[in-house]
Amino acid sequence: MSTGSGAASAPAPDGHDDPTAHDTPRTSRTSMFASLKVRNYRLFFMGQVVSNIGTWMQRIAQDWLVLSLTGSSAAVGITTALQFLPMLLFGLYGGVLVDRLRKRPTLLVTQSAMALTALFLAVLTLTGHVQVWHVYVAAFAMGLATVVDNPARQSFVSELVGRDQLQNAVSLNSANFQSARLVGPAVAGLMITGVGTGWAFLANGLSFVAPLSCLLLMRARDLHAVQRAPRGKGQLREGLHYVAGRPELIWTITLVGFIGTFGFNFPVFLSAFADDVFDAGAGAYSLFNTLMAVGSLAGALLAARRGTARLRVLIAAAVAFGALEIVAATAPGLWLFALLMIPIGVFSMTVNVTANTSIQMSTDPAMRGRVMALYMMVFLGGSPVGAPIVGWVTDTYGARVGFAAGGAVAATAAIVIGLVLARVGNLRLSVGWHRGHPQVRFVPRERREALAPAA
């Protein structure tokens, strides 16, 4: 594998290709569950099914425990911030480590660390010795493990399935996570009310047995070999320069940053609509989140079937996502608003999966850990940074204005970045009809020969 500019790993543009139209892979359709035919990926997927459910259980139990210990929503916010803070502070360094290390042993260490953190919290809670600072420490420790675990898991997928099935595997990972989002909170609620939060932490700690076992059962000879980056000085700076020199990377990450910061703050938006706009309480808030999870799951499965990762699909999905948020902000009734959560979930997941896949496919394998760390830092760090801004707009001008503003920022950013990528790729906008349907797409600009004056 090349460790240079990335040309050996990125799709090679031809005369009709551009930064907004990469095919990865070249087939336009694939079986929805094609990557599950790969034994190593099937093991990885099964381990993540169990672990993701446990993770969602811990999220709910952790917030509930902090609220019951302090009675303060601010304390819950501090816990969330502490869990994301390591990614913001050390995320890029985690990417440097991931590029140097073998992914499977790295994941065995990070997953074990997270399991021990959950078990530590379970013991303290079950014995009645837990204090809020214990939860803060556990949240920060979990965040530290995530600094390495996240880019390692993201980049390990390409070693499991190879280039041709990466889009499908990334999509199925997202479907896996969204399925757990439907199951985990419900199980956590039953466990918390039935036997207490400590048992939810214990369940999450034990759930890591599944991914650890599956990692150990994988066949090393079946992994797609990737050359690791050697130790050296300036590798963090090298990664940043690499991203800055590739428009399809820097602009995709920039778009994800805008959408994650202003458009993905759903806890702020949906709780405000449930409480202030519709005066419907926690039940409506739960309904909104459930329907969005259903849409996200559908979006992930559709992406798995699509089998391509075109940046123009990313731009179109981001525009649709922002537009739907604006439409939802004006919805007059609760049920119309709730139903709009489904397509919003579909397009939010399309943005997520397409951005993730196109970045991985356009990145040299030796740089993938650093690039994915930057992507995850922007994606995961955007919501906590934007939450206070979005919250202030929502409190000051109302939930409808706040939601519409978030959608407007997302749509505007997508349009502007789409035009930038079109300019970089020397494209123009084409509007026409195809088989009786309107078609809007970018096409190469016609080269006009300068006419020399007649002698």
Side-chain angles (χ1 to χ4, degrees), residues 1-12:
M1 293 288 182
S2 168
T3 57
S5 65
S9 64

Side-chain angles (χ1 to χ4, degrees), residues 230-405:
R231 292 181 178 272
K233 294 182 179 180
Q235 289 182 322
L236 177 57
R237 185 170 59 252
E238 180 187 11
L240 293 174
H241 286 166
Y242 177 85
V243 173
R246 299 179 68 90
E248 70 274 22
L249 295 180
I250 187 64
W251 288 112
T252 299
I253 292 173
T254 300
L255 176 58
V256 167
F258 273 106
I259 293 176
T261 302
F262 299 102
F264 275 10
N265 272 290
F266 296 115
V268 176
F269 298 137
L270 302 188
S271 60
F273 267 83
D275 190 37
D276 300 333
V277 177
F278 299 122
D279 194 24
Y285 179 60
S286 176
L287 174 66
F288 298 157
N289 279 282
T290 299
L291 291 176
M292 183 171 292
V294 170
S296 298
L297 177 59
L301 293 175
L302 288 171
R305 182 172 178 78
R306 188 163 54 245
T308 60
R310 297 175 181 266
L311 286 184
R312 65 191 184 201
V313 173
L314 171 63
I315 298 298
V319 172
F321 170 78
L324 281 167
E325 286 198 337
I326 296 172
V327 172
T330 64
L334 184 149
W335 284 105
L336 177 58
F337 180 86
L339 290 175
L340 284 169
M341 293 303 102
I342 297 176
I344 287 176
V346 170
F347 284 106
S348 69
M349 188 52 57
T350 302
V351 169
N352 186 356
V353 171
T354 308
N356 187 313
T357 310
S358 66
I359 286 173
Q360 290 207 51
M361 296 307 299
S362 298
T363 302
D364 189 291
M367 287 282 185
R368 194 167 284 150
R370 280 164 281 183
V371 174
M372 291 309 297
L374 178 61
Y375 168 76
M376 296 308 297
M377 186 178 73
V378 171
F379 182 67
L380 295 178
S383 291
V385 170
I389 302 172
V390 170
W392 176 81
V393 173
T394 301
D395 288 341
T396 305
Y397 300 102
R400 294 188 184 277
V401 173
F403 203 17

Side-chain angles (χ1 to χ4, degrees), residues 255 314-316 318-320 408-422 442:
L255 176 58
L314 171 63
I315 298 298
V319 172
V409 170
T412 302
I415 292 170
V416 170
I417 289 173
L419 293 174
V420 169
L421 288 172
F442 288 104

Side-chain angles (χ1 to χ4, degrees), residues 15-21 312 415 418-433 439-448:
H16 300 287
D17 205 358
D18 63 86
T20 67
R312 65 191 184 201
I415 292 170
L419 293 174
V420 169
L421 288 172
R423 184 177 181 85
V424 169
N426 194 31
L427 306 174
R428 65 177 177 82
L429 186 67
S430 172
V431 180
W433 289 84
Q439 184 179 63
V440 180
R441 61 193 180 113
F442 288 104
V443 298
R445 293 181 183 276
E446 296 177 1
R447 295 181 180 179
R448 297 181 179 179

